[in-house]
Amino acid sequence: MKLASGLEASQPVVAARKRSVWARWRQPILLSAALACGVLLGANPFRPSEQNPDATARGYLKFKEILSYVDREYVDSVNAEELSDYAIKRLLERLDPHSTYIPAKEQQQAAAFLQSDYDGVGVEFNLFRDTVTVVSPLSGGPAEQAGMQPGDRILAVDGQNVSGQHYTTDHVFARLRGPRGSTVRLLLLRRGQTRPMMFALTRNRIPNSSVDVAYLIDEQTGYIKVSRFAAGTYDEFKAALGRLRREGMEKLVLDLRGNPGGYLDRATKVADEFIAGTRKIVYTDGKGDQYDSQTFSRVLGEFEDGQLVVLVDEGSASASEVLAGALQDHDRALLVGRRTFGKGLVQQPITLNDGSELRLTIARYYTPSGRSIQKPYRNGVAAYDRELQERYARGEAFHADSVHFAPELRFRTSHGRTVYGGGGIMPDLFVPRDTLVNNRYYARLQAANVVREFALNLYQQHRPELEQMTQQQFARTFEVSDVQLQALAARGAQDGVRTDAASLRRSAAALRVQLKALVARSAYGKDAYYAVMRDQDLELQQALRALQNGSTKLALKQPSE
């Protein structure tokens, strides 16, 4: 207390001395600071903008000075690098929701999303009650060649336990993946066997397909689902489209639901397969004209004339919205589903000196008619993140009339139909979410992974008979009984999902279809899964009806208000 009082008493004298010193040394100090700033910024590959270079330089020096004081003088030891990462992330939050900073240790994992292959063992797994369980070995991969089976439980990787360790999916991925040609030893426990088995697998290149499935629904109608726009997406899509065309496809359903985007040029190349002539697909507008661009169709596409329906929902974002918006603006496709996410900001990846990456927004996407895809974000990141929940609260997921657009953001398609900007792409045919599965009990079963685990056990129980069935026989004869649904509810109760009899009855039909589809996935592969799920896919059923009665072309040619 005395020390504090003494400091307070001497403050006027100290202040006067400081002013005197500052007056004598002000000019040399400012000159030195300016020189230092020039040296620091000169060593940096980036330069402050011409609009306000002095403010940028002062901010740079201020941050450096504060971080230095914290590192030297703060009462506890600190990790200066972690503090810098935190400060950078908070700074970017003030700009927009999609400018982001990726630390060096996370950069490889973030980049993997857009890669078309990786080095690993080739196994799809899930975490059931903290146990790593094989869902399916990938076709042609080391795991399949070694004889791994759906339902095998991975106990240890290279002698280190992975089950019961509270690992995340990313932790398991990190242990299973590694350089091509390296060996990994997996300790597995298989159903019906009392002793674990050891598998020694040599890692290899594993395709990481972004075209989830491509098959003919009937003799003329194709279905292609694209989950993201990765490095190899266009090549995968082109091959799938060509194969279906050779098999007789004349109509196509392109599924972009849940597609979060990726590489823009892959999406525009896909659009070029559908849009004839030289027509605008997308344009970008940034600060000045450095990042302004226009992309046009330019090649003879594989499917420029056939009937086309595109499925979208609130999970369709960024590059998938660019594709959907271009097809809608040119009246080339009928869009079916619900309003898309609304991400229309262009990020440029900038690799920093330490291997970290800055993804900085440098422009906005616009559809050919001039619509901005980006939804508002002026109220901050937290409000932006809640926007989808607010859509549900307003009833947007269930009633088209609940979706409101500003009248001044009205645009016209090539055939004169009215479309709106201001956030996301509104489909031509609205399909509400399935109310049968819109209940808390169903959602909790899914979140607890109970349905997937139960389906895998169901597959294992029936595996001998399934191996004697063709996929067509399975589709006709395999049914999920009431007894099995009750067993599913009991399994959920053991995992903390309290049984709700009324909700179980309400969602029984959806659960039967999902369980059957998951069993089909384990027994016959992805195509079988989607073929079964088609029975409860409301958007797809609407798309097929539109294709069947020829209403796609009619709907796209009639102006509307």
Side-chain angles (χ1 to χ4, degrees):
M1 294 295 293
K2 290 182 179 179
L3 180 59
S5 300
L7 284 173
E8 290 173 4
S10 63
Q11 281 178 355
V13 176
V14 171
R17 290 175 179 172
K18 285 183 176 179
R19 284 194 296 271
S20 175
V21 171
W22 173 245
R24 293 198 306 270
W25 293 96
R26 179 182 177 186
Q27 187 170 356
I29 289 174
L30 288 176
L31 180 60
S32 299
L35 290 173
C37 180
V39 171
L40 289 169
L41 293 175
N44 193 306
F46 301 102
R47 301 289 187 272
S49 68
E50 295 180 359
Q51 289 90 337
N52 199 2
D54 293 340
T56 304
R58 289 195 299 270
Y60 180 92
L61 290 173
K62 184 187 296 183
F63 179 79
K64 177 176 177 291
E65 185 178 16
I66 290 175
L67 185 63
S68 178
Y69 272 117
V70 170
D71 187 40
R72 291 197 319 267
E73 313 294 349
Y74 185 66
V75 62
D76 297 322
S77 297
V78 297
N79 185 321
E81 188 171 7
E82 287 185 358
L83 286 176
S84 296
D85 289 351
Y86 174 78
I88 292 168
K89 290 176 180 178
R90 293 300 300 271
L91 178 152
L92 295 175
E93 287 178 4
R94 295 294 299 271
L95 303 180
D96 67 83
H98 298 294
S99 289
T100 186
Y101 168 75
I102 303 173
K105 61 183 179 182
E106 300 174 14
Q107 203 282 327
Q108 185 175 3
Q109 179 183 329
F113 174 76
L114 296 177
Q115 293 173 356
S116 294
D117 49 28
Y118 62 91
D119 292 339
V121 300
V123 64
E124 182 182 340
F125 65 89
N126 214 324
L127 290 170
F128 298 133
R129 295 193 310 282
D130 208 24
T131 299
V132 183
T133 305
V134 175
V135 173
S136 177
L138 302 183
S139 178
E144 184 191 55
Q145 294 172 2
M148 289 177 62
Q149 300 176 3
D152 286 348
R153 287 179 287 172
I154 303 177
L155 305 180
V157 179
D158 286 334
Q160 195 161 23
N161 290 340
V162 293
S163 285
Q165 301 299 308
H166 305 292
Y167 281 151
T168 64
T169 299
D170 291 337
H171 284 130
V172 180
F173 269 130
R175 296 192 178 282
L176 293 178
R177 295 182 180 182
R180 192 184 325 180
S182 60
T183 299
V184 58
R185 296 172 65 84
L186 305 181
L187 185 66
L188 305 180
L189 184 61
R190 180 166 294 169
R191 181 186 178 91
Q193 299 189 11
T194 57
R195 300 184 62 182
M197 301 177 295
M198 181 66 73
F199 284 73
L201 307 179
T202 301
R203 294 183 177 99
N204 205 346
R205 205 67 175 160
I206 307 297
N208 189 20
S209 178
S210 51
V211 175
D212 282 0
V213 64
Y215 70 100
L216 286 179
I217 295 175
D218 57 39
E219 292 182 355
Q220 294 184 325
T221 308
Y223 172 84
I224 300 178
K225 180 171 178 58
V226 180
S227 61
R228 67 192 189 285
F229 290 99
T233 297
Y234 174 69
D235 293 334
E236 295 174 34
F237 178 82
K238 180 76 171 175
L241 190 65
R243 174 173 59 80
L244 294 181
R245 289 286 282 169
R246 291 190 295 273
E247 293 175 3
M249 181 185 73
E250 297 180 6
K251 309 172 184 178
L252 175 63
V253 177
L254 174 62
D255 193 346
L256 299 179
R257 290 174 297 179
N259 183 322
Y263 290 120
L264 175 64
D265 64 332
R266 274 58 167 190
T268 57
K269 285 182 177 179
V270 170
D272 205 350
E273 293 297 318
F274 301 118
I275 298 174
T278 304
R279 307 175 79 180
K280 188 178 295 182
I281 295 175
V282 66
Y283 67 94
T284 62
D285 185 26
K287 183 185 292 184
D289 58 5
Q290 180 180 1
Y291 297 111
D292 294 352
S293 68
Q294 298 186 74
T295 302
F296 292 84
S297 59
R298 57 186 180 84
V299 302
L300 180 62
E302 185 85 26
F303 198 72
E304 292 184 349
D305 297 317
Q307 289 191 66
L308 176 63
V309 174
V310 178
L311 303 182
V312 294
D313 65 7
E314 52 280 344
S316 308
S318 194
S320 60
E321 294 177 283
V322 168
L323 171 56
L327 295 174
Q328 187 180 53
D329 277 6
H330 290 304
D331 297 292
R332 177 62 189 91
L334 187 75
L335 269 58
V336 174
R338 292 178 297 281
R339 182 161 68 102
T340 61
F341 181 84
K343 180 188 180 298
L345 299 177
V346 186
Q347 280 74 51
Q348 174 165 300
I350 302 167
T351 302
L352 305 180
N353 290 331
D354 65 347
S356 59
E357 185 175 273
L358 171 65
R359 294 183 181 178
L360 186 66
T361 296
I362 46 88
R364 289 181 172 84
Y365 291 127
Y366 293 86
T367 70
S369 67
R371 289 185 287 168
S372 172
I373 297 170
Q374 181 61 45
K375 61 187 177 183
Y377 52 87
R378 64 180 66 92
N379 293 326
V381 173
Y384 188 83
D385 290 341
R386 291 194 304 269
E387 195 269 341
L388 287 183
Q389 299 174 18
E390 292 172 355
R391 289 192 200 181
Y392 286 107
R394 292 193 301 266
E396 277 199 30
F398 308 103
H399 307 286
D401 292 343
S402 299
V403 185
H404 299 290
F405 292 100
E408 64 271 17
L409 297 178
R410 180 183 301 174
F411 298 84
R412 295 286 185 179
T413 69
S414 297
H415 289 154
R417 295 184 305 124
T418 299
V419 290
Y420 290 92
I425 302 295
M426 185 66 184
D428 304 299
L429 291 180
F430 176 84
V431 179
R433 287 183 66 91
D434 189 352
T435 55
L436 291 178
V437 298
N438 187 44
N439 65 72
R440 184 183 179 90
Y441 178 67
Y442 180 90
R444 291 190 66 196
L445 285 176
Q446 304 295 333
N449 242 344
V450 174
V451 180
R452 289 183 177 275
E453 181 187 19
F454 189 85
L456 192 53
N457 290 333
L458 202 58
Y459 162 75
Q460 290 179 305
Q461 292 168 13
H462 293 274
R463 182 173 179 177
E465 57 209 84
L466 290 171
E467 289 178 343
Q468 304 303 315
M469 283 186 189
T470 65
Q471 183 179 332
Q472 291 72 26
Q473 289 172 328
F474 170 86
R476 289 195 307 269
T477 63
F478 189 90
E479 299 294 341
V480 177
S481 67
D482 290 340
V483 172
Q484 289 166 333
L485 281 183
Q486 293 299 326
L488 169 68
R491 175 74 266 181
Q494 292 178 18
D495 286 353
V497 182
R498 184 177 178 180
T499 302
D500 181 339
S503 295
L504 179 62
R505 286 194 299 272
R506 183 181 176 188
S507 55
L511 286 170
R512 291 183 203 275
V513 173
Q514 187 181 9
L515 288 170
K516 182 175 180 176
L518 289 168
V519 172
R521 170 73 175 87
S522 295
Y524 307 105
K526 280 185 177 181
D527 287 14
Y529 170 85
Y530 284 101
V532 175
M533 287 298 291
R534 190 166 68 233
D535 292 339
Q536 75 166 33
D537 191 330
L538 299 182
E539 292 93 348
L540 180 55
Q541 294 302 320
Q542 180 69 58
L544 294 176
R545 282 193 291 271
L547 289 172
Q548 185 176 15
N549 60 31
S551 64
T552 55
K553 292 183 179 180
L554 180 65
L556 294 175
K557 289 183 179 180
Q558 288 186 341
S560 62
E561 285 293 344

